[in-house]
Amino acid sequence: MDKSEIDKKLEEISDKFMPEEISENDKNEILSDLNLILESDPTNTDALTWKALLYQSSKDYENAIAVYEEILKFNPDDKNVKESIKNCREFMQWELEREKRYKEYSKSNTDSNAPDLLEKVSIWHILIVKAIVIAIIIYVAFMPLISANYDKKILKKSNRVEQSQTKYKVLNEEKASKTTDFIDLKINPMSDYDYLSKKEIYNIRKKYVSESVFANPNYEPSEEVFGQIVDGKPWWGDIRCDEMNYKGDYHEHIEGNSKVSIQMNNPNILVGLSKPYMPWNKPEYDEIYGNFCTAEYSRFIPYSLKYNKKDNIFVAIYKVPREFLDFRYNIDGKSHRFMMQLSGLNARDFGYDYVWAFESNNIKFRNTHEPNVEDEVQKFQNFIHLGGSCKYKDGCNNISPMQIPLIIKVTDLPAEINLKLWKKYPSNKYSKADIYYKIIFEEL
């Protein structure tokens, strides 16, 4: 088997593992495939992991432990593998205790002096209860490992976009639906929402949704997300830096295209980037940071957006100059890297309220005492309303609120953050996502 054949076979195996129950026939086929892979590549830890999981699911704990220990030879610091070995040993002990208690019960049941309670309660009832408890414990320990391997498969597929921007491009969605390839999604331009009615804004939104992956003839904008838009009001504009010592009426804040139109005109950008803090327009910003206050990149519009229909993966690529990494501004008297908030305005409109960052690289989070999106599943709270943050008379329609657990900073290039989105709060963060969304930052 060559590498491409092995990768393809491992993807097929991961697909079979996702159902809650795997048939005996599937198990035998998977084991046979894994042995073939390991004959060609004995050090393939992905194959070894699936083999260990297969034994563990069949309650063959001795063989599972043997395979996990083989993995530790290649990855001695793998905490998940060490925890799995510990779990298998505990399961083995429980099985031994179950057999021991059954023998003790069988012996005592022949004794005429056996307690009345044991005479009334069948041993099978006791064993069934214990089996259910053990099954729940196995599921809790076992499913995160299966899901983690499925997430690895998703990462490999989304990485294909980085490896080649042309190889994986297909001509149309019909062809893409029959492959594992990505299609290019159109990035629509910004527009000016100032003084439009709520009905006009809704019509714009419906038009763009009808051209998106989420097209639905019955679509109506979510009232929770867009219901507080106020007719005939200005919107936060395209301004990216504030003037120092400003004494005007702040009309600059509403000039140009409306900032939130990046997301509202592009429903496919499920998780956009919004700016939680406004930097000052200092001369050194343009001199040192690649003309940040006027540059195209500081709008944070994706350079490209790609979609894999088969696995429900989106990949948004942003390009920034290396100078951007040195950008610093003061917040509460402290110097910080430029911060961006993950904005789930579109995700929430389509019902994908919950998010967890399962893998990131060269990304840091705002330091706070509360867990961030990498620590725990978070709920998007984004909505549009009339607020006073623009400081223009009578306020502006803008996006709220600030969610500190969703604020990120890029520390080096390339950088990426991989998100799992769910419509309902998942039983645990390792559960298979409804949608996978990858954000990449590349050097301009």
Side-chain angles (χ1 to χ4, degrees), residues 170 172-183 307 309-310:
V170 296
N172 55 60
E173 190 169 342
E174 182 180 354
K175 180 179 178 182
S177 67
K178 299 176 183 177
T179 71
T180 58
D181 291 340
F182 287 80
I183 61 170
Y307 175 59
K309 185 174 182 178
K310 179 178 182 291

Side-chain angles (χ1 to χ4, degrees), residues 190-197 201 204-205 208 233-235 256-258 260-266 397:
M190 299 172 70
S191 55
D192 187 351
Y193 291 170
D194 283 347
Y195 306 110
L196 296 181
S197 68
I201 297 293
I204 292 171
R205 177 67 177 175
Y208 284 119
K233 291 294 183 181
W235 291 65
N257 291 319
S258 304
V260 76
S261 68
I262 295 171
Q263 294 182 67
M264 291 179 66
N265 291 2
N266 288 282
N397 285 307

Side-chain angles (χ1 to χ4, degrees), residues 296-403:
E296 181 65 26
Y297 83 85
S298 60
R299 290 189 170 98
F300 294 103
I301 301 172
Y303 171 79
S304 74
L305 183 63
K306 296 176 182 289
Y307 175 59
N308 176 313
K309 185 174 182 178
K310 179 178 182 291
D311 296 293
N312 239 359
I313 310 170
F314 289 80
V315 179
I317 300 176
Y318 295 81
K319 287 186 177 286
V320 297
R322 184 154 290 275
E323 293 83 2
F324 170 68
L325 300 174
D326 299 322
F327 192 102
R328 297 290 187 278
Y329 56 176
N330 290 322
I331 302 172
D332 299 329
K334 295 181 180 179
S335 178
H336 293 269
R337 291 180 181 273
F338 188 81
M339 298 184 191
M340 293 162 284
Q341 179 173 311
L342 301 174
S343 172
L345 190 78
N346 285 322
R348 194 172 180 224
D349 184 35
F350 299 124
Y352 299 96
D353 286 351
Y354 299 98
V355 59
W356 177 56
F358 67 98
E359 183 87 12
S360 63
N361 181 43
N362 292 327
I363 296 286
K364 284 191 175 181
F365 299 84
R366 178 83 193 271
N367 291 329
T368 64
H369 296 298
E370 58 185 314
N372 60 50
V373 70
E374 193 175 45
D375 299 323
E376 293 180 1
V377 174
Q378 301 288 335
K379 184 175 183 180
F380 289 124
Q381 299 173 14
N382 309 99
F383 64 97
I384 304 294
H385 72 127
L386 185 72
S389 62
C390 69
K391 299 183 181 179
Y392 190 65
K393 59 180 179 180
D394 300 326
C396 305
N397 285 307
N398 63 270
I399 189 170
S400 284
M402 181 187 295
Q403 287 187 260

Side-chain angles (χ1 to χ4, degrees), residues 159-174:
N159 286 341
R160 293 178 182 176
V161 173
E162 297 174 82
Q163 294 165 6
S164 172
Q165 290 293 310
T166 56
K167 182 179 178 182
Y168 294 93
K169 181 179 178 181
V170 296
L171 297 177
N172 55 60
E173 190 169 342
E174 182 180 354

Side-chain angles (χ1 to χ4, degrees), residues 115-214:
D116 291 342
L117 179 61
L118 288 179
E119 288 178 358
K120 294 177 181 178
V121 179
S122 167
I123 184 61
W124 296 113
H125 291 154
I126 298 172
L127 294 178
I128 287 169
V129 171
K130 284 184 68 66
I132 291 172
V133 171
I134 290 173
I136 292 171
I137 294 171
I138 289 174
Y139 179 82
V140 170
F142 183 60
M143 287 308 294
L145 283 170
I146 295 176
S147 298
N149 276 277
Y150 185 82
D151 291 345
K152 285 182 182 178
K153 183 187 88 168
I154 294 296
L155 283 174
K156 286 180 180 178
K157 287 194 173 185
S158 63
N159 286 341
R160 293 178 182 176
V161 173
E162 297 174 82
Q163 294 165 6
S164 172
Q165 290 293 310
T166 56
K167 182 179 178 182
Y168 294 93
K169 181 179 178 181
V170 296
L171 297 177
N172 55 60
E173 190 169 342
E174 182 180 354
K175 180 179 178 182
S177 67
K178 299 176 183 177
T179 71
T180 58
D181 291 340
F182 287 80
I183 61 170
D184 282 302
L185 300 177
K186 181 182 177 183
I187 305 293
N188 299 310
M190 299 172 70
S191 55
D192 187 351
Y193 291 170
D194 283 347
Y195 306 110
L196 296 181
S197 68
K198 182 177 178 180
K199 182 178 180 181
E200 288 174 310
I201 297 293
Y202 272 29
N203 286 338
I204 292 171
R205 177 67 177 175
K206 289 179 184 179
K207 171 186 177 294
Y208 284 119
V209 169
S210 70
E211 299 168 355
S212 76
V213 169
F214 303 97

Side-chain angles (χ1 to χ4, degrees), residues 37 41 52 59 79 88-89 105 150 319 328 380 432:
I37 291 171
D41 182 7
K59 299 184 182 180
K79 294 180 181 179
C88 285
R89 286 177 175 151
Y105 170 81
Y150 185 82
K319 287 186 177 286
R328 297 290 187 278
F380 289 124
K432 183 180 178 183

